[in-house]
Amino acid sequence: MSRTTLFVDVILPLGVPNLYTYRVPFERNDAVAIGKRVVVQFGKGKLYSALIRNIHEIPPKQYVAKYIDAVLDEQPVVNAKQMELWDWMSQYYMCNIGDVMVAALPGGLRLASETRIILNAEYKDQLETKGLSEKEYAIIEALEVRNVLSLNDVSQIIDQKTVYPVIKVLIEKGIVLIQEELKEKFKPKIESFVRITEEADQEENLKGIFDSLEKKAPKQLDVLMSYISLSKRYSGDRKEVKKSEIIKAVEGAEAAIRSMVKKNILQVYEREVGRLSAFENENKVSQLNENQQEVLGSIRTQFGWDGEDGNGKMEDSKGETEKSIKEVVLLHGVTSSGKTEVYVKLIEEAISKGKQVLYLLPEIALTTQIINRLRKYFGDAVGVYHSKFNENERVEVWNKVLKHNSKDHDSEFKLVIGARSALFLPFSDLGLVIVDEEHDTSFKQYDPAPRYNARDAAIYLSHIHKARTLLGSATPSIESYFNAQDGKYGFAEMTKRFGGVQMPEILVADVKEAMKRKEMKSHFSPLLLDTVTLALEKKEQVILFQNRRGFAPQLECNMCAWVPQCVNCDVSLTYHKVSNQLRCHYCGYAAKPPSQCNACGDTNMKMKGFGTEKIEEELSIFYPKARIARMDLDTTRSKFAHQHIIQDFEDGKIDILVGTQMVTKGLDFDNVSMVGILNSDSMLNFPDFRSFERSFQLMSQVSGRAGRKNKRGKVIIQSQNPDHSIIREVIANDYLSMYTNQLLDRKNFNYPPYYRLVELTLIHKDQNMVNAAAKYLADELKTHFGKRILGPEFPLVARVRNLYHKNIILKVERDASIVQAKKIVSELLINFKNSDYKSVRVQIDVDPM
């Protein structure tokens, strides 16, 4: 044991700007290591699990270092490369390192301090209850039964939200004591297994057992037969048998197993098992066509993989220079061009070199289909990581990724598929990062901090590992395409659909004209309804896209045009018919629909607009025999909801799928012949400099779901402005035209990719305070940045959850120093927090989307 006085700088899971230093007790000197978790006290008696960032012998000058209470890990749970990514994210996205830690670590690895109360032992003996209120007495009664209560328990017992005043009185009277306890959240899953005893397993003995049980205990015989069948005893490939499998197969098996254990026929044992599904490994990689082979070769050359030796190092004999190698390549491939097969070949190559691979997808909905396609190639080497997993499952994936450098290579994950949070996993040797649908806004984390873009963070993560990044999309973001054209990224293109499938035929239904002629049936044009009818007659499937959930966007008085508003936010309430509620999609506030107008008292209330719920209902009137389903946030809240809807659609159990953006993203369905876009105008008219780009992407992506294999699909776009340039470019599948036009606008008005944006949002419950603070901060910023500052301006929805928001935008030229600009902003914000407006919260979003 070392007697050196050691100190550790730790990252606390809190929004504090600096690392905090603690002293290490001598007996724990050998236990501390960078990346391990330690229990520390911070603030008034609160305990936290912090992460060791540095170890040194220099005591802090500003305060006396407290001792760490415990070291939680035998091995580090976070590695040096992860720390490097965290540091970059903290600096680039202008947030605290503790915010990054909270986003990165799964909840099961973040310990929480739970305040618990226990009865004072001295008070227990006296049982003196004089002078106690009814609520205090109820707490004591509960403690006498349960010994320990959390503050949540107390809240339920006395039916009161704020329990601190009551607890405070009991503490002052010496009746209860506070117990601070750190609770480890991750618990390994333990499963019970059954096996035959060594004695009973001998063939002669087993025959005798069979005869005995047949006469005296037929239920036990059924259990034994089930065990032998499940264990594959006679097939030469024995497997373990879970107790739950036998209980499921044989009614009343629980008691029979207990009896057989007493007779020394069976043994029951427990062991830790994984919560994650095992995959069958088929190792069937499809043959690539000529276009795919060409693109694969181009990507490999740009990655510098053509000139590698067996250890993954570049050979000088190829004459490749470092400058010709691209760390990032953009693959622009039209929908259904077979990009996934190219990904598979690259993944296979990276894994064969002993490298790890990260495959990022924007939506959980996509992981279901991609997993099914990739697991047949890579089996149990595939790990899945996203927010629908519970804490224990996420910790399990984390631990399996950690095993890459251990001897237990068989149980590690070599390929991880996941949404944006997967980039935080403890990779130690990444070889390839694939960002599929790289343009998607779901890669952006909006709240809370860090407000990062997973695509950009993944590129930096790949750079740390000296790996390669492949960005894939049928409709790349303008920034990525610009970087590829500018030579910063490599570029590859797939212009033909796989198998010679034609691009879909796209037709525009003029809604304005149809309304004039009174041909519209509810929200459906004759062209759309005719096309849906034809598809259903041919036993083909239909996808209808409406980018708004709920039944109707708003309820409106027919007399005075009053619209019910959220009490917490400056936004109208959306009507949901299933629950018969008006709901706010910002804060979750819900209310019953009013029977009369709150302004004029009239009872004639009308539904305005339409959401996915209304479309689903009205389709059932037009097509009573069709099987209709809806895929939006409301129908996919549960863990496996996405999977079930997609599986049912793939299996042909759904004829028409109505959905929001979820249906536009990379899903492949063989029998979809028709896609309908019900309201393109709402996307095109959204007040944002990216609205045309996003409209093109959404319409092109959802159009790409139509027509697979040997059929040409049909797409109907409903619009009041059928000659809009973006709609024409979607019809022509002319990405380059959209890109060129948008690039010109961006250049003229100083927007990305020519400028970088930093958005500062000031938030406070008092509107006047927000106005004054925003003016003060904007004036300060303008003294340094001049015309590069836009605002302050209220956003479209200025009040959310009773807090007012006001935005200031900083534009920085592409060739100027963004680091220097951020430094100036940070210094001004320190001064701002020491001003009269320190109660106003400032939220920073670098590269807002």
Side-chain angles (χ1 to χ4, degrees):
M1 182 178 68
S2 167
R3 299 294 294 176
T4 309
T5 302
L6 292 181
F7 294 89
V8 290
D9 298 332
V10 301
I11 305 170
L12 288 155
L14 301 167
V16 290
N18 300 330
L19 302 178
Y20 210 73
T21 305
Y22 287 84
R23 187 172 171 178
V24 182
F26 291 132
E27 65 271 17
R28 293 201 175 99
N29 275 6
D30 296 334
V32 294
I34 292 172
K36 284 187 179 183
R37 294 171 302 156
V38 289
V39 177
V40 297
Q41 184 183 333
F42 187 78
K44 294 182 179 178
K46 280 283 184 184
L47 296 177
Y48 294 95
S49 64
L51 204 66
I52 299 176
R53 183 69 184 89
N54 303 309
I55 302 172
H56 54 85
E57 297 176 23
I58 306 163
K61 293 177 181 176
Q62 308 299 328
Y63 52 92
V64 177
K66 298 173 189 172
Y67 283 97
I68 61 170
D69 285 11
V71 179
L72 292 171
D73 305 304
E74 290 183 15
Q75 299 296 328
V77 294
V78 174
N79 63 40
K81 288 176 179 175
Q82 283 175 285
M83 295 280 196
E84 194 176 337
L85 176 69
W86 292 13
D87 288 342
W88 174 81
M89 289 183 79
S90 174
Q91 174 268 319
Y92 186 82
Y93 291 106
M94 299 180 74
C95 62
N96 299 311
I97 191 77
D99 294 329
V100 183
M101 175 185 170
V102 171
L105 279 184
L109 292 177
R110 295 196 312 269
L111 301 182
S113 178
E114 289 189 357
T115 303
R116 293 167 167 254
I117 61 165
I118 56 174
L119 273 177
N120 187 338
E122 294 177 9
Y123 171 78
K124 263 187 180 178
D125 297 332
Q126 297 170 19
L127 290 174
E128 180 60 56
T129 58
K130 284 184 181 177
L132 294 179
S133 69
E134 189 177 327
K135 288 179 178 177
E136 289 165 359
Y137 191 77
I139 294 168
I140 292 164
E141 276 190 320
L143 280 170
E144 286 172 342
V145 175
R146 291 163 62 179
N147 298 324
V148 181
L149 293 175
S150 71
L151 294 191
N152 284 337
D153 295 333
V154 174
S155 181
Q156 289 172 7
I157 289 162
I158 65 174
D159 194 22
Q160 184 173 310
K161 196 171 181 181
T162 308
V163 298
Y164 290 96
V166 185
I167 300 297
K168 184 168 174 269
V169 171
L170 288 172
I171 292 167
E172 287 170 352
K173 289 180 180 178
I175 297 169
V176 300
L177 301 173
I178 287 284
Q179 177 190 45
E180 283 291 321
E181 180 186 340
L182 274 166
K183 185 175 170 186
E184 180 69 76
K185 289 182 184 173
F186 173 63
K187 290 183 182 133
K189 184 177 179 182
I190 305 297
E191 187 90 59
S192 293
F193 289 82
V194 173
R195 65 183 166 214
I196 195 165
T197 61
E198 200 172 323
E199 187 180 337
D201 200 26
Q202 294 173 24
E203 201 60 41
E204 285 185 17
N205 295 344
L206 189 60
K207 191 180 178 187
I209 291 166
F210 265 109
D211 294 339
S212 170
L213 294 179
E214 190 175 10
K215 295 172 187 173
K216 299 178 182 177
K219 185 64 72 178
Q220 291 176 34
L221 179 64
D222 290 345
V223 167
L224 186 57
M225 293 287 286
S226 176
Y227 168 78
I228 285 169
S229 170
L230 290 166
S231 66
K232 300 182 178 177
R233 183 179 187 274
Y234 292 109
S235 69
D237 187 22
R238 282 203 185 192
K239 66 184 275 289
E240 285 186 295
V241 178
K242 291 178 183 177
K243 185 180 175 182
S244 58
E245 290 179 304
I246 297 177
I247 289 169
K248 191 176 178 182
V250 180
E251 193 178 338
E254 186 88 62
I257 291 170
R258 281 199 299 269
S259 300
M260 293 171 81
V261 169
K262 287 177 185 175
K263 292 177 182 176
N264 199 33
I265 298 170
L266 295 178
Q267 290 177 340
V268 176
Y269 64 99
E270 293 182 337
R271 71 171 178 81
E272 183 182 336
V273 295
R275 291 178 172 78
L276 311 165
S277 305
F279 299 147
E280 299 273 331
N281 188 357
E282 294 177 22
N283 277 319
K284 292 178 183 173
V285 181
S286 304
Q287 283 296 112
L288 302 188
N289 63 24
E290 192 177 331
N291 184 224
Q292 288 171 319
Q293 288 278 15
E294 192 179 310
V295 166
L296 177 64
S298 170
I299 293 167
R300 291 185 74 256
T301 301
Q302 291 178 82
F303 277 169
W305 284 6
D306 278 350
E308 286 182 349
D309 63 20
N311 299 314
K313 293 177 182 175
M314 290 301 301
E315 291 178 352
D316 293 332
S317 59
K318 289 280 182 182
E320 304 247 34
T321 64
E322 286 296 322
K323 285 184 181 177
S324 66
I325 297 167
K326 301 293 183 186
E327 286 190 0
V328 184
V329 173
L330 174 66
L331 172 56
H332 179 203
V334 296
T335 52
S336 195
S337 56
K339 293 188 289 293
T340 306
E341 299 302 328
V342 175
Y343 297 160
V344 166
K345 287 289 187 184
L346 292 167
I347 292 166
E348 194 177 41
E349 188 168 346
I351 289 175
S352 70
K353 296 173 188 167
K355 301 285 187 180
Q356 295 169 300
V357 179
L358 172 61
Y359 190 133
L360 284 181
L361 291 155
E363 288 273 4
I364 296 166
L366 287 179
T367 59
T368 304
Q369 273 208 333
I370 293 294
I371 293 160
N372 292 338
R373 292 173 72 176
L374 292 182
R375 68 181 177 185
K376 67 182 179 186
Y377 304 128
F378 305 110
D380 278 337
V382 179
V384 185
Y385 192 81
H386 55 63
S387 58
K388 278 287 201 293
F389 274 12
N390 64 42
E391 286 181 0
N392 287 339
E393 287 171 325
R394 296 180 91 178
V395 172
E396 207 161 304
V397 177
W398 187 281
N399 290 337
K400 279 202 165 195
V401 175
L402 261 179
K403 284 182 178 177
H404 185 73
N405 280 340
S406 71
K407 294 175 183 176
D408 189 11
H409 273 292
D410 291 338
S411 64
E412 70 169 83
F413 286 141
K414 298 177 179 74
L415 165 63
V416 175
I417 306 168
R420 60 176 181 257
S421 58
L423 68 89
F424 291 115
L425 285 165
F427 298 104
S428 53
D429 194 12
L430 266 178
L432 175 66
V433 176
I434 295 171
V435 184
D436 202 7
E437 309 295 344
E438 66 83 28
H439 66 276
D440 203 286
T441 54
S442 297
F443 280 126
K444 173 72 175 178
Q445 160 83 4
Y446 290 99
D447 221 27
R451 293 172 182 83
Y452 66 97
N453 187 314
R455 176 197 63 208
D456 300 340
I459 290 170
Y460 192 81
L461 174 69
S462 183
H463 171 72
I464 291 169
H465 286 264
K466 294 183 171 55
R468 300 291 182 260
T469 305
L470 182 64
L471 307 178
S473 177
T475 53
S477 65
I478 284 175
E479 287 89 338
S480 293
Y481 201 82
F482 180 85
N483 284 332
Q485 298 300 306
D486 205 37
K488 185 179 178 182
Y489 297 168
F491 185 69
E493 198 164 26
M494 299 172 76
T495 55
K496 294 177 184 174
R497 283 185 147 194
F498 187 81
V501 177
Q502 288 181 287
M503 294 298 288
E505 179 188 4
I506 302 177
L507 304 171
V508 186
D510 189 335
V511 174
K512 189 189 281 185
E513 190 63 29
M515 287 172 79
K516 275 183 188 175
R517 296 181 178 180
K518 297 186 178 176
E519 293 174 343
M520 291 291 288
K521 292 184 180 176
S522 183
H523 306 291
F524 308 107
S525 63
L527 177 60
L528 186 128
L529 288 176
D530 291 347
T531 313
V532 171
T533 303
L534 189 63
L536 294 177
E537 284 173 356
K538 292 180 179 178
K539 305 292 184 192
E540 293 168 344
Q541 291 171 300
V542 173
I543 290 176
L544 295 181
F545 167 62
Q546 166 60 7
N547 204 20
R548 185 183 281 274
R549 63 189 172 97
F551 188 81
Q554 61 191 49
L555 205 61
E556 186 180 283
C557 173
N558 208 31
M559 290 293 286
C560 72
W562 172 80
V563 174
Q565 298 283 312
C566 175
V567 297
N568 305 314
C569 312
D570 287 340
V571 68
S572 59
L573 295 170
T574 301
Y575 178 61
H576 288 250
K577 189 167 184 180
V578 170
S579 57
N580 191 32
Q581 282 185 328
L582 291 170
R583 277 195 218 144
C584 174
H585 289 176
Y586 282 81
C587 72
Y589 169 79
K592 285 282 180 188
S595 55
Q596 62 183 53
C597 174
N598 284 5
C600 71
D602 193 79
T603 55
N604 191 2
M605 301 291 290
K606 269 175 50 181
M607 303 287 177
K608 294 277 284 185
F610 58 99
T612 49
E613 196 180 341
K614 190 174 185 184
I615 297 301
E616 181 187 26
E617 183 185 274
E618 292 191 347
L619 282 170
S620 64
I621 298 168
F622 290 114
Y623 305 103
K625 292 181 181 177
R627 295 163 297 178
I628 302 163
R630 174 164 51 98
M631 189 160 81
D632 56 25
L633 190 64
D634 297 318
T635 61
T636 56
R637 291 185 191 278
S638 63
K639 183 174 179 179
F640 296 111
H642 281 110
Q643 196 170 325
H644 291 153
I645 294 169
I646 290 167
Q647 194 61 53
D648 285 349
F649 198 59
E650 276 188 328
D651 295 343
K653 295 176 185 175
I654 297 168
D655 298 315
I656 304 175
L657 181 63
V658 182
T660 54
Q661 288 187 49
M662 293 178 186
V663 300
T664 71
K665 299 175 183 180
L667 298 170
D668 294 335
F669 301 111
D670 291 337
N671 199 36
V672 174
S673 66
M674 183 262 172
V675 165
I677 298 168
L678 298 175
N679 187 6
S680 61
D681 302 314
S682 63
M683 298 183 285
L684 289 165
N685 297 331
F686 192 78
D688 185 274
F689 76 91
R690 285 194 173 94
S691 62
F692 283 7
E693 177 192 2
R694 287 192 183 142
S695 298
F696 180 89
Q697 288 165 343
L698 274 169
M699 286 192 271
S700 297
Q701 289 285 340
V702 76
S703 300
R705 304 311 117 218
R708 299 276 160 152
K709 295 211 168 159
N710 302 317
K711 303 175 275 204
R712 188 183 186 195
K714 190 170 277 190
V715 179
I716 308 298
I717 300 174
Q718 293 193 158
S719 173
Q720 298 211 23
N721 184 8
D723 294 319
H724 196 288
S725 61
I726 290 295
I727 291 176
R728 292 291 137 202
E729 284 157 359
V730 170
I731 291 170
N733 191 34
D734 193 349
Y735 175 85
L736 204 56
S737 172
M738 183 278 296
Y739 168 77
T740 307
N741 293 333
Q742 289 306 298
L743 206 60
L744 186 61
D745 284 348
R746 304 280 181 93
K747 191 171 188 178
N748 289 337
F749 296 103
N750 301 343
Y751 280 109
Y754 297 102
Y755 279 72
R756 289 191 173 105
L757 304 184
V758 179
E759 185 178 70
L760 295 101
T761 304
L762 289 86
I763 305 168
H764 198 271
K765 61 184 178 183
D766 184 342
Q767 187 177 2
N768 294 328
M769 178 66 88
V770 165
N771 283 331
K775 184 180 184 309
Y776 169 81
L777 183 57
D779 288 345
E780 290 293 306
L781 288 163
K782 282 173 184 173
T783 60
H784 291 84
F785 297 107
K787 291 182 180 178
R788 295 182 184 90
I789 297 295
L790 282 186
E793 288 289 339
F794 284 114
L796 278 176
V797 180
R799 183 174 59 106
V800 178
R801 295 185 177 90
N802 282 321
L803 293 170
Y804 290 92
H805 295 63
K806 204 159 193 181
N807 296 338
I808 301 168
I809 291 178
L810 166 63
K811 294 181 174 181
V812 181
E813 296 90 336
R814 184 180 171 87
D815 54 359
S817 171
I818 188 71
V819 175
Q820 186 61 29
K822 287 177 187 173
K823 188 179 176 184
I824 294 168
V825 171
S826 297
E827 288 169 358
L828 289 175
L829 287 177
I830 291 169
N831 295 334
F832 177 80
K833 285 169 187 173
N834 293 322
S835 70
D836 296 338
Y837 306 109
K838 59 187 175 187
S839 63
V840 177
R841 184 155 57 94
V842 181
Q843 190 173 283
I844 304 172
D845 191 357
V846 178
D847 302 335
M849 289 185 74

